Amino acid sequence: MKKLVLFLSILWSLQASAQPERENPSPRTWFQRYETAQKRHESLKLQLEYLKNAVDEAHRRTEYHRDHYFHYTRVSYELGQTQGAYDALTQIIIARNANDHEAQDLLGLVCWKLGKLEEALIHFNAAIEEKGRNAVYRLHRGNLKNQLAVQNHEPRKYDEAILDFNEAIRRGQDTILYQMYLGRGESYLGKQVWESAAADFRQSLQFNRNLGFKAKAFTGLAQILYQLKNYDAAIDTFSKAITIDNQLHEALDGRGRAYLATDRVSESLADFNNALEVVRLKNYLYNRSLVYTKQKNYRAALSDLNAAIAAIQGDSTAQPFFQRGYVQYFLKNYSAAQTDLTTAVRLKPDLATAYSYRGWAKVQIAKSSQLPEDFLQSITDFNRAIQLEPNNAFAYCGRGLAQYYSATSLDKAKEDLDKAINQDPKLAEAYLGRGKLRSKETPEKAISDFDQVIFLDKGENQVQAYALRGQLQLQLNHFQEAESDFNDLVRNFPDSLVYTQQRGITRFHLDNYAASLEDLQLHLRAFPNNATTFLYLAKNHLKLENYAKSVDWAQKAHRIEASNPSILAFLKMAQQAYLEYRKKTEKATVQWYAPNRLNINGLTIEHYVDTLPNANYIVLHGNVKSISSIQSIQLNINEKPHPVVENRLKDGSTDFEAKIRFDSTMSFVNIELKTKNQAGDSTMDKQIKLIRRANPCPKPKRGLALVIGNRNYKENPLQNTIHDAQDVADSLKTLGFQISTLYDGTFRQLRDAIETFVDSLENYELGFFYYGGHGGANQQSNYLIPTDMIGEDYARKAYGLTTFFDKLNSAQEKSCQLVMILDACRDSLMNGFNPIPTNPIPNNTIIHFSANAGQKAQDGSSNNDRNGRYAYHLLQYLTKRIRLDDIFGKVRDDVSRESDNTQTPVLVNNLGNSVLFLKR
């Protein structure tokens, strides 16, 4: 203790000498102020000030309080004063002869932040040795060992880390279990123990309430799915991490690799671009070069590879140099390709592929010079590849093929393969290579070679031999023998799907269409974009007279291989067969357009007749579609023929229109529409019940609207909501509404705007409220989320619809009709509206929710970049003279169709018998 007091005296002597003599609060008083500030979550700077006063006053009194000084050091560390914290903690440990587990652990964290990983491990070990039951110390050491395993390429460190995490989980508190499971999951991920890693990441998510750690857990799960080649699921899980933290470059890079693995090249490129905006790592540059290479954008790929290689310090792996040589080869920069491939084989002397490509670069150079010695240089490279694998038939086969492409004879290639077989008669690869060479000229001998492979090898070579022998049998029209080979594949290699396409084709030729379809569908699981598979699926369905499916599969094949004449010819044949079938079987269909909703199901439809101008007639407008020629259209009104105006359209359909008048004595209008085409007659009967009512709303003014768009949230900002609100306001203005708008409203602004709107409704016939932004629900109560809200404290920080409805109910005698549109754009962090609220809906009110419960209202439309999905379709109908409930019905149908039913708007109608038109 005396040593420590002496050290502190030296450290603070200057400050103490400068202090005038006065009565100061005691060290304990200053420390209590710090504890109060900590409980109140006041700033770290203020906490540090209190702690500094505590230790200064202790020094002035020649006292020493270890806790005061320790907390002073800890807060300094949290404020980023790392080096100072390191110096002070080192002195504490020296003074206490290292017997201070808290200081040891904190010093370990400080060393870690300073990059002194090995020293950090020493301090974590000391802390755990003194107090091994502390779960936090185990957590810290486990995380450090994970990093050491990666940095030093020491896989055994993962096992040591797992032991620490096991003990931490056993002893840990619920508040930090998510960190422990996350750390252990990363250990298992490093060990490639996928199931255990996934289980831990899920446990971390279960206990987690920290968004940053959630993003890391989602990223870990996605990495596992990527390694298991479940790329679509990996993409979805990476996306969850990115939604939480769009700056998490590891997730952006991972999703980019998953997109690349599924040939979604544009999405892959976007993710690599975003990752590189966060941090410019050579791995990300290399990955983006793969995308550019796949796009055949070789110059962009070369630029990235140049930058990636420039970032390499000292020796590195051969792959970047090989990839750049590969790109240079396709750019026809053969000399540059040769230079990079030379570097690749220097870094990895056994990289046979690099020798092969360097050989091909020399072949291309030799083609320009036509010098024999240049070709000899090419053969030298292929010889080197063979030297690396002297007993491997594929190496000799590679040289044989190189000899063929460099204008040497096939006999020499065969000699290489024969030599391999003579050297090792059990070398199945040699038979396989020779069988491939023989396949075109002497298929019977090739079959003999494949027989040897099947006899000698029980692995992948045997799979290829069965497949190749089956293909040859198929080419020779030996369908039974081909099916036998593919059946052997099924029996011996049940997990392989390579065989299924060829067996499916074989069974098609054997007229076994059902079995053929089963095989081809299996093949699609492993090879989802194979034109030949699509073509034979189409052929099977045509034989089974499933014409629509036949055309669909043929179109998919054509999209992949548009220049394939066989596919194009079959597609035309299938389309013609389908057309003839439809002409014989499909009757004409009718789409009605009318303000009385004649397009709904049922025979009787009620039509409310207002005291509006021109309310004594109904205009029927519809369209008849038919795959064959329309022979007649006949309309009967109340069992009497009625004139119809027909208009033939360019698409072959026919528009029709009829104006039906009614008088005060009519209660029903019976409609019968008859159409006839090649498939026969079709009849549609409808009955309209006419209900008259007076206009209940004699207000002096037409319409008042409040339009709100919230976009710039502090958490989870949106994209299109302000544009949506602006466009809705413009449309309502053309309809004569008095407009009030609010953009990016805080809680107070939101509340004041709504209350002003409700108070002003008494002078207006019609009210219109539109809200675009985040929405939330808590215990079945709905809330509008202001832009200044953080967290999920809806009751205090959001504006409740219950409050809104209460104000409307108290003012319901002041307004006639109210339209509410709640377009809640949100992500997985906002639970959205509950479209069936428990509190009463105000009378004469109609509410349209842009999405059902549990659904996401898309903040973006496939139709344009300006509007959200719901708002885009609403704007198509808002200014038309259509009943409002019909408008909402059309919007619901369009949104559901575009989203494939993942977003379905919901209507809550309390208008009673009212008929509401926004445009008169």
Side-chain angles (χ1 to χ4, degrees), residues 617-687:
Y617 68 88
I618 301 172
V619 177
L620 298 180
H621 176 210
N623 179 267
V624 179
K625 294 185 183 295
S626 175
I627 195 66
S628 60
S629 298
I630 300 171
Q631 299 175 10
S632 65
I633 300 175
Q634 179 181 342
L635 179 67
N636 295 327
I637 304 297
N638 294 333
E639 299 182 351
K640 294 181 181 180
H642 193 88
V644 177
V645 178
E646 299 181 16
N647 180 26
R648 182 81 172 187
L649 303 181
K650 291 182 179 180
D651 64 0
S653 66
T654 299
D655 267 354
F656 67 88
E657 186 175 287
K659 190 171 187 178
I660 304 172
R661 295 190 177 275
F662 48 84
D663 55 40
S664 60
T665 64
M666 295 178 64
S667 299
F668 293 91
V669 176
N670 296 308
I671 301 171
E672 181 184 58
L673 184 72
K674 294 183 177 181
T675 61
K676 184 176 182 180
N677 67 358
Q678 182 178 332
D681 297 334
S682 60
T683 302
M684 177 181 290
D685 295 316
K686 295 286 183 183
Q687 185 182 72

Side-chain angles (χ1 to χ4, degrees), residues 146-211:
N146 276 345
Q147 183 170 340
L148 288 171
V150 175
Q151 180 171 302
N152 299 337
H153 304 287
E154 295 182 89
R156 63 181 180 82
K157 289 292 185 185
Y158 290 126
D159 295 318
E160 296 176 8
I162 289 170
L163 294 176
D164 274 336
F165 291 126
N166 288 342
E167 185 66 17
I169 291 169
R170 188 172 71 86
R171 298 181 179 277
Q173 300 175 353
D174 290 346
T175 56
I176 57 172
L177 274 176
Y178 66 92
Q179 295 185 45
M180 299 171 182
Y181 281 115
L182 178 64
R184 192 173 70 177
E186 290 174 345
S187 299
Y188 282 127
L189 183 63
K191 286 171 59 65
Q192 300 183 1
V193 183
W194 311 127
E195 292 184 3
S196 298
D200 277 347
F201 289 136
R202 293 191 187 98
Q203 285 285 78
S204 176
L205 289 171
Q206 179 181 348
F207 290 102
N208 199 345
R209 299 193 63 84
N210 182 294
L211 291 181

